[in-house]
Amino acid sequence: MDKSWISWDKNSSEYQEKAKEFIFNSKKYARNPDLVRCPCIICQNRSTQTDEVLLLHLVKYGFDPMYKDWVGHGEPTRPTRSARTNSFVEVPHIDEDSEMHDAHHMYEDTYFQLPRPDGGETSTFTNLDDFYRNKVLEAEVPLYPGCTKYTKLSATLNLYKLKADSGLSNVGFDNFLKEFKNMLPKGNTCPDSLYTVKKTLKDFDLGYEKIHTCINDCCLFRGDNLNLQKCPECQASRWKVNPRTKKIEEGTLAKVLRYFPIIPRLQRMFLSSTIGEQLTWHSSHHSQDGMMRHPVDSVQWSFIDKKWAAFASDPRNLRFGLATDGFNPFSEKSTKHSTWPVILVIYNLPPNVCMSSENLMLSLLIPGPRQPGNDIDVYLQPLRDDLVKLWNGVEMYDAYSKAMFNLRAILLWTINDFPAYGNLSGLAVKGEFGCPVCG
């Protein structure tokens, strides 16, 4: 395609005519002809625009200088050099229904800057630099020369999911990858070990916080207690103590709480236009016959709407349920250990999506060996702090509406058995006054 015109004066009639011609030709390759990906320096192909807005962007901002191959607008593919094999491989056109498209936009959602609706400075969740640009290009490299269904990234994701679903051991997975790589054509980009798979997928890892805790569940070593060496309540060391010699083994933690921050994960969810649309499902699916089919039809939901009308006015604001209980992750013969996961359920989602495993957010992993009991509130502090932030509002970008907004969230319910209910609420659930309703 002729690209010489993109360097012309953007205010000239010649440039504008060429831009209109570009838009007309690009509509042939768009999933929706009324919305074409905008290659301007602000949108960088991550937003779709109408003809009028697209022309305005091209005239006002110009083309993204990094967009040299117009593969998203109908330009034929060209050979490119694979960094791994030093051979030429073909980068195919990204079909928007293929797994290659999903992998490509997985990187886009993670690393690219997001345009502000006012056309001002961009909002960035992760800095965009050459390293991540190379990651995007790597996501487009096919699994082997001529492959049109899988890229290196999509194949890695599928193979790793296969390992998790089948319970394949690390050694077995390594052996499988070596054999599978040898079966593929020469010049393939398939990973050859579990280490390579983890290294590739590490870029998507949102991570978790390791928070030191008192061995007796008195406190967390965070905030004002961050630099303390002993618990301010029971004076127990934050480090492991040898039970025989009583020597403190500095560097070996006595107990660790693992917290998976929820705000970055919610930001990631709203970066997907599909999930962003699903998160507003509840606003247009109230029951019309008085039957309850989703929590949106409940009395508690209506109570929240009436009490906090400003919160209810934006359907993107989230409503959580919190579920927790203990389980033994080790041998069934051992009954002494009890690890407590704390899981958040997002009730904005449709009923068939709401309780699916991928949408249940593990937020805390409370360590054993014993159950936290009434001290569970100590471990809930990091989650509580983030929920307070979300109630006050956190700025996010919504890819569905293509606009920044102030996300708020509220905790509606807890889901647990009766003993755990007593721990979470602080109410008596046994003995002479064991009814939490009437006391």
Side-chain angles (χ1 to χ4, degrees):
M1 290 186 182
D2 176 26
K3 302 176 185 177
S4 60
W5 59 273
I6 65 175
S7 60
W8 297 351
D9 179 9
K10 293 192 290 292
N11 295 319
S12 66
S13 59
E14 292 82 1
Y15 176 95
Q16 295 179 20
E17 286 300 319
K18 283 290 186 180
K20 291 178 182 178
E21 182 181 343
F22 169 84
I23 295 171
F24 176 81
N25 292 329
S26 299
K27 291 164 70 73
K28 303 174 185 177
Y29 304 96
R31 176 188 290 182
N32 181 357
D34 296 328
L35 293 172
V36 178
R37 288 190 175 275
C38 179
C40 78
I41 196 170
I42 300 297
C43 296
Q44 296 180 326
N45 280 326
R46 291 183 305 282
S47 299
T48 54
Q49 308 289 0
T50 60
D51 295 3
E52 295 80 5
V53 176
L54 181 54
L55 179 61
L56 177 64
H57 281 207
L58 292 180
V59 172
K60 184 176 181 180
Y61 306 119
F63 265 75
D64 174 17
M66 296 299 295
Y67 187 45
K68 298 179 180 178
D69 298 326
W70 296 350
V71 294
H73 298 84
E75 184 171 62
T77 61
R78 68 174 188 175
T80 186
R81 186 175 295 275
S82 168
R84 178 169 182 144
T85 62
N86 201 33
S87 59
F88 282 100
V89 295
E90 183 183 8
V91 180
H93 173 71
I94 303 294
D95 177 27
E96 298 208 2
D97 293 320
S98 70
E99 294 190 50
M100 296 180 72
H101 173 268
D102 295 338
H104 173 77
H105 288 288
M106 187 176 181
Y107 266 122
E108 281 189 337
D109 289 347
T110 307
Y111 298 121
F112 270 64
Q113 291 175 312
L114 305 172
R116 295 184 65 91
D118 57 6
E121 293 183 0
T122 53
S123 172
T124 309
F125 291 116
T126 306
N127 290 333
L128 178 62
D129 54 27
D130 291 340
F131 174 78
Y132 292 123
R133 285 189 183 276
N134 291 335
K135 286 292 183 181
V136 174
L137 294 176
E138 186 178 2
E140 297 176 350
V141 175
L143 179 61
Y144 56 83
C147 179
T148 58
K149 187 174 182 181
Y150 292 101
T151 64
K152 175 185 175 181
L153 178 62
S154 63
T156 302
L157 287 170
N158 286 336
L159 290 172
Y160 198 44
K161 184 177 183 297
L162 177 65
K163 176 190 183 304
D165 292 343
S166 62
L168 189 62
S169 68
N170 293 348
V171 175
F173 189 56
D174 279 341
N175 293 334
F176 167 76
L177 288 177
K178 290 177 183 177
E179 290 297 325
F180 183 63
K181 184 175 178 64
N182 290 333
M183 294 177 185
L184 294 176
K186 187 177 180 181
N188 68 79
T189 58
C190 179
D192 56 3
S193 67
L194 176 61
Y195 171 78
T196 307
V197 170
K198 289 184 175 181
K199 188 176 180 181
T200 301
L201 300 181
K202 186 174 177 59
D203 297 317
F204 298 106
D205 185 12
L206 287 172
Y208 60 88
E209 298 177 14
K210 296 174 68 174
I211 303 174
H212 304 189
T213 73
C214 171
I215 190 68
N216 298 317
D217 306 328
C218 301
C219 73
L220 303 180
F221 291 98
R222 63 192 291 265
D224 295 338
N225 299 331
L226 182 61
N227 297 318
L228 297 181
Q229 299 301 308
K230 292 183 179 180
C231 172
E233 299 291 333
C234 67
Q235 299 301 309
S237 174
R238 72 189 294 172
W239 309 109
K240 185 177 180 180
V241 178
N242 190 304
R244 184 173 60 86
T245 64
K246 306 301 180 184
K247 181 180 179 181
I248 298 176
E249 301 176 2
E250 292 193 13
T252 304
L253 300 173
K255 207 170 188 179
V256 181
L257 169 70
R258 288 169 173 82
Y259 176 53
F260 303 81
I262 61 174
I263 293 177
R265 294 156 77 186
L266 296 176
Q267 288 174 331
R268 183 75 64 87
M269 292 180 73
F270 277 101
L271 286 175
S272 168
S273 57
T274 301
I275 299 177
E277 181 180 10
Q278 290 179 337
L279 287 170
T280 61
W281 178 93
H282 65 93
S283 63
S284 57
H285 287 79
H286 290 268
S287 174
Q288 302 299 317
D289 56 7
M291 303 297 289
M292 182 174 173
R293 297 182 177 86
H294 184 272
V296 71
D297 305 318
S298 67
V299 175
Q300 294 90 335
W301 197 291
S302 299
F303 175 80
I304 295 296
D305 288 351
K306 293 176 182 177
K307 187 170 183 178
W308 292 289
F311 174 86
S313 63
D314 191 340
R316 293 172 294 193
N317 288 336
L318 302 178
R319 312 193 189 211
F320 289 125
L322 184 148
T324 185
D325 201 359
F327 79 105
N328 180 9
F330 304 112
S331 171
E332 295 181 359
K333 298 179 181 179
S334 172
T335 58
K336 295 181 179 179
H337 194 101
S338 182
T339 296
W340 284 57
V342 178
I343 297 172
L344 288 180
V345 183
I346 304 176
Y347 287 122
N348 292 46
L349 295 167
N352 62 324
V353 178
C354 181
M355 300 302 293
S356 60
S357 58
E358 60 267 23
N359 289 310
L360 297 178
M361 295 175 57
L362 176 64
S363 58
L364 288 164
L365 202 56
I366 302 174
R370 61 176 181 269
Q371 58 179 326
N374 290 334
D375 293 324
I376 192 171
D377 59 320
V378 172
Y379 293 101
L380 292 174
Q381 290 175 17
L383 177 58
R384 180 202 64 192
D385 293 345
D386 271 358
L387 288 175
V388 170
K389 290 180 183 178
L390 285 167
W391 174 249
N392 294 325
V394 176
E395 189 180 35
M396 294 193 184
Y397 177 79
D398 179 15
Y400 178 63
S401 62
K402 297 180 177 61
M404 301 296 295
F405 76 106
N406 207 37
L407 175 68
R408 299 179 65 194
I410 192 171
L411 182 63
L412 282 182
W413 297 290
T414 61
I415 307 168
N416 36 255
D417 57 18
F418 208 49
Y421 171 73
N423 297 145
L424 283 170
S425 65
L427 299 172
V429 292
K430 57 185 176 181
E432 184 177 358
F433 305 101
C435 178
V437 178
C438 67

